[in-house]
Amino acid sequence: MGNRSWRATTALAAVLVAPLLAAVVGSAPATAAGDPMAGAPVVGECHFYDAEDRFASTERSAPVDCAAKHTAVVLAVSEVPSGVDIEDDSNLALNRFASRTCSPALTDALDVSHNRAHLVRYTYSWFVPTAAQLAQGARWIRCDINRLDGRKLDKLPANGLYVDGFVQSWNRRCLSSRLLVVSCLRPHTWTARGLITVPDGRWSVDAQDARARSRCRGTLQRKDRRYLWVRISEFSWSVGERHVVCFGAD
């Protein structure tokens, strides 16, 4: 389906370093040809798949018992507007629809603000129907929640409580020396400390860097001797994201 320049929702857009001077599994109902929800999954069902599967257009694993090991839970299923090309998942309109559908579903599931969602290891993946489902008229996207841990996906809690009131160390977003998102309970180099807001305007790397250099220090802890920030990608900017995440390291 073409290249997925906007699909990697958790990829680090860019970073700069500066020294410091239980759900129940359901089954989808039978659908008729021409049904836009043909083959759609059930919200709340759990799946087990790997990190590399997140970047595929479709996800075909069978639902598993949510009390067993799983790496994904379906958060939302939404019909794609008729004017949006669903057969090319690299197109901007579809990516924008996915972002505006899945991002709120993620923050609702985490029960945290959009801002605090930047500080945890949880993210979302999204998928479109298979070729066979498209042939039946399917026009839906599926939003899943995942938890990142290096080059793999961490298992999700069986009780469905992802962030229990505030960001705990096992859920906080940390980065390895290779800038992979890992649990802060594992060896890591960088720890997410906070966010800064970039003013509205045209997307600009220089503007983000200038803002981060002047504001990220205010998010750090006393022990931090270095910091870096993750820039907002051009696509994320286009759908309204204005938050740069600041990381500190001692």
Side-chain angles (χ1 to χ4, degrees), residues 99 103 114-115 118 195-200 203 208 231-245:
S99 176
S103 184
H114 173 75
N115 290 10
H118 287 74
L195 305 174
I196 62 166
T197 302
V198 180
D200 284 333
W203 177 79
Q208 292 183 58
R231 295 179 186 137
I232 307 161
S233 70
E234 189 170 9
F235 169 72
S236 294
W237 186 274
S238 77
V239 295
E241 183 58 69
R242 297 294 183 268
H243 297 106
V244 166
V245 184

Side-chain angles (χ1 to χ4, degrees), residues 144-230:
D144 289 2
I145 184 172
N146 311 113
R147 185 162 61 179
L148 302 171
D149 192 15
R151 298 189 184 279
K152 62 184 181 67
L153 295 181
D154 202 359
K155 65 181 181 180
L156 295 175
N159 62 7
L161 293 176
Y162 303 118
V163 179
D164 189 11
F166 58 96
V167 179
Q168 304 274 8
S169 58
W170 56 85
N171 281 329
R172 184 171 289 274
R173 182 173 291 229
C174 284
L175 301 179
S176 69
S177 59
R178 296 187 176 184
L179 303 181
L180 297 173
V181 175
V182 296
S183 166
C184 295
L185 297 181
R186 290 182 53 188
H188 60 277
T189 303
W190 306 95
T191 302
R193 298 300 190 202
L195 305 174
I196 62 166
T197 302
V198 180
D200 284 333
R202 296 187 65 178
W203 177 79
S204 165
V205 168
D206 290 343
Q208 292 183 58
D209 290 350
R211 189 78 167 181
R213 287 191 182 96
S214 66
R215 298 295 180 91
C216 273
R217 294 185 184 210
T219 70
L220 304 180
Q221 295 185 356
R222 282 183 132 183
K223 63 182 179 179
D224 292 328
R225 293 293 177 268
R226 299 173 294 158
Y227 64 102
L228 63 75
W229 56 92
V230 179

Side-chain angles (χ1 to χ4, degrees), residues 13 25 27 37 39 48 56 65-66 68 75 83 85 109 125 138 156 180 190 194 208 215 217 240 250:
V25 174
S27 57
M37 302 305 287
F48 183 87
D65 187 342
C66 292
L75 297 182
D85 181 4
S125 304
L156 295 175
L180 297 173
W190 306 95
Q208 292 183 58
R215 298 295 180 91
R217 294 185 184 210
D250 55 22

Side-chain angles (χ1 to χ4, degrees), residues 32-156:
D35 185 346
M37 302 305 287
V42 175
V43 172
E45 69 184 25
C46 297
H47 290 261
F48 183 87
Y49 54 78
D50 297 325
E52 56 267 26
D53 297 324
R54 296 185 56 240
F55 300 99
S57 302
T58 62
E59 203 289 304
R60 302 166 185 257
S61 68
V64 299
D65 187 342
C66 292
K69 184 176 181 180
H70 59 283
T71 57
V73 177
V74 178
L75 297 182
V77 179
S78 184
E79 183 178 343
V80 177
S82 59
V84 176
D85 181 4
I86 195 171
E87 297 193 40
D88 176 9
D89 71 348
S90 69
N91 81 78
L92 182 57
L94 181 60
N95 277 262
R96 282 178 170 163
F97 180 77
S99 176
R100 289 165 179 161
T101 301
C102 299
S103 184
L106 177 65
T107 54
D108 286 349
L110 295 177
D111 196 23
V112 297
S113 67
H114 173 75
N115 290 10
R116 291 177 72 81
H118 287 74
L119 304 179
V120 297
R121 292 190 289 138
Y122 292 99
T123 187
Y124 70 81
S125 304
W126 62 275
F127 305 101
V128 296
T130 64
Q133 291 163 344
L134 289 170
Q136 296 175 45
R139 289 194 55 80
W140 48 262
I141 64 163
R142 156 187 163 187
C143 307
D144 289 2
I145 184 172
N146 311 113
R147 185 162 61 179
L148 302 171
D149 192 15
R151 298 189 184 279
K152 62 184 181 67
L153 295 181
D154 202 359
K155 65 181 181 180
L156 295 175

